[in-house]
Amino acid sequence: MSVQTNFGRHRLPPADDPKTALDADADSAAFRGIAMSPVTASSINTATATESPEFSRPHTPSMFQAPDSLRSAPAATARHPIDLDGFSWPSIGTEERRSESAEEKAERLKKMSGAVRTLLECIGEDPDREGLLKTPDRYAKALMFFTKGYEESMNEVVNDALFDEDHEEMVIVRDIDIFSLCEHHLVPFCGKVSIGYIPNRRVLGLSKLARIAEMFSRRLQVQERLTKQIAVALDKILQPQGVAVIMEASHQCMVMRGVQKPGSKTITSFMLGRFRSDPKTREEFLSLVK
């Protein structure tokens, strides 16, 4: 993993025009499953038009709480990249898994172990032979580790590592190793992700970028969603001038089964703010992460 900061001589273009900012926020809202009303769109448009990194320091709200409008909304629509407990897109069993007692955790592992034993029997193996005696227990514990991102919260990951800093040039952490499980076949995909952002006078501890990628990757995932979740969460935490994420991974569901193409790689990207609206900024990022 390598870290780059760019002190290029060119200045950034003027602040995002309202339409670009609205499009990006609307796209983020659509990703969260929120239908944006005309009133909501209008308020975003107005706020964006009056804010400029040249004249205002970004407001620093509690990064890990949904806005009041979402807190008062019905449960079906109260979706935010970071919820009241600091969880980011939690699964249906996240709170139960995180808050269970030692006895409940042991019972969960026992249930999982039994399920693995059943699978071994179904494929024609003998779960009582020496090599497989402890496999159900081992795999149950391993699967809990592979999916530990479900019970991690952004509060713990970021851990107050947000700093006001007079820096408005590109920051990149590239070649972060990621390991995840394809949610379609429960087999691994692994690769590297590069994350860049342009600060709006607020920076995040560099290791936190890798930790955010780790948190989202340690879940059942598809690469497209994983790429987008990293970008959208970082955008909500930092409120930067732009965020860019690019990921390259090899999927074992294409290597070990199906089309069986060992050399294939999948590349996904997601960009917000300056990276989306300004081709030169996007090109610079892509050249730096090669």
Side-chain angles (χ1 to χ4, degrees):
M1 181 178 76
S2 60
V3 179
Q4 288 183 301
T5 57
N6 177 36
F7 299 95
R9 288 177 293 176
H10 70 277
R11 294 299 300 168
L12 293 170
D16 287 341
D17 62 84
K19 184 178 184 304
T20 301
L22 176 57
D23 288 344
D25 213 277
D27 187 63
S28 175
F31 178 56
R32 302 196 302 272
I34 301 173
M36 292 183 67
S37 66
V39 175
T40 304
S42 175
S43 64
I44 294 173
N45 191 19
T46 302
T48 306
T50 58
E51 291 176 357
S52 167
E54 296 294 332
F55 301 103
S56 63
R57 182 176 294 273
H59 176 54
T60 309
S62 175
M63 279 293 111
F64 314 120
Q65 289 192 357
D68 292 338
S69 60
L70 287 180
R71 271 184 271 177
S72 60
T77 60
R79 299 292 304 280
H80 190 261
I82 305 170
D83 71 11
L84 295 174
D85 297 314
F87 295 121
S88 196
W89 290 287
S91 68
I92 191 170
T94 289
E95 184 57 42
E96 178 183 354
R97 174 171 167 175
R98 181 180 171 85
S99 60
E100 64 188 1
S101 64
E103 292 77 13
E104 290 170 332
K105 184 175 182 179
E107 184 60 31
R108 179 189 293 269
L109 288 171
K110 181 179 179 181
K111 184 178 180 181
M112 293 173 67
S113 179
V116 176
R117 181 182 175 89
T118 299
L119 287 174
L120 291 173
E121 292 173 343
C122 288
I123 64 173
E125 262 291 358
D126 175 13
D128 292 319
R129 69 178 177 85
E130 183 180 9
L132 294 176
L133 273 176
K134 295 184 179 181
T135 296
D137 291 338
R138 291 192 193 102
Y139 188 75
K141 292 175 182 177
L143 191 57
M144 290 296 285
F145 178 80
F146 296 155
T147 60
K148 66 186 179 71
Y150 283 123
E151 55 187 274
E152 294 179 342
S153 76
M154 201 65 77
N155 302 56
E156 297 167 345
V157 171
V158 174
N159 195 26
D160 297 326
L162 284 169
F163 309 102
D164 288 331
E165 192 66 41
D166 189 18
H167 183 76
E168 295 184 346
E169 299 292 342
M170 204 178 297
V171 177
I172 300 172
V173 179
R174 73 179 193 185
D175 297 334
I176 302 168
D177 290 313
I178 57 103
F179 304 90
S180 192
L181 288 178
C182 165
E183 66 181 33
H184 300 144
H185 301 98
L186 297 185
V187 294
F189 68 91
C190 56
K192 294 182 183 293
V193 60
S194 295
I195 304 172
Y197 71 96
I198 302 172
N200 196 4
R201 301 179 185 176
R202 180 192 294 143
V203 298
L204 182 65
L206 293 174
S207 68
K208 305 306 178 184
L209 298 177
R211 291 185 184 277
I212 290 172
E214 172 78 0
M215 182 187 78
F216 285 120
S217 67
R218 291 298 185 178
R219 302 178 180 188
L220 303 184
Q221 282 284 11
V222 295
Q223 184 174 331
E224 297 88 339
R225 183 173 67 234
L226 173 56
T227 306
K228 193 167 187 176
Q229 284 182 335
I230 294 169
V232 173
L234 189 58
D235 183 61
K236 293 303 176 184
I237 293 169
L238 279 173
Q239 301 173 4
Q241 299 179 58
V243 178
V245 178
I246 186 165
M247 184 180 301
E248 179 178 309
S250 175
H251 292 249
Q252 294 306 303
C253 58
M254 289 182 61
V255 173
M256 298 173 63
R257 56 162 300 284
V259 295
Q260 301 179 59
K261 300 298 181 184
S264 63
K265 301 282 187 180
T266 300
I267 300 174
T268 52
S269 68
F270 191 79
M271 304 194 183
L272 292 167
R274 296 274 193 257
F275 294 99
R276 175 176 287 188
S277 63
D278 181 41
K280 289 185 178 180
T281 302
R282 181 167 60 252
E283 182 181 349
E284 182 178 357
F285 169 75
L286 294 173
S287 67
L288 289 171
V289 298
K290 285 183 179 178

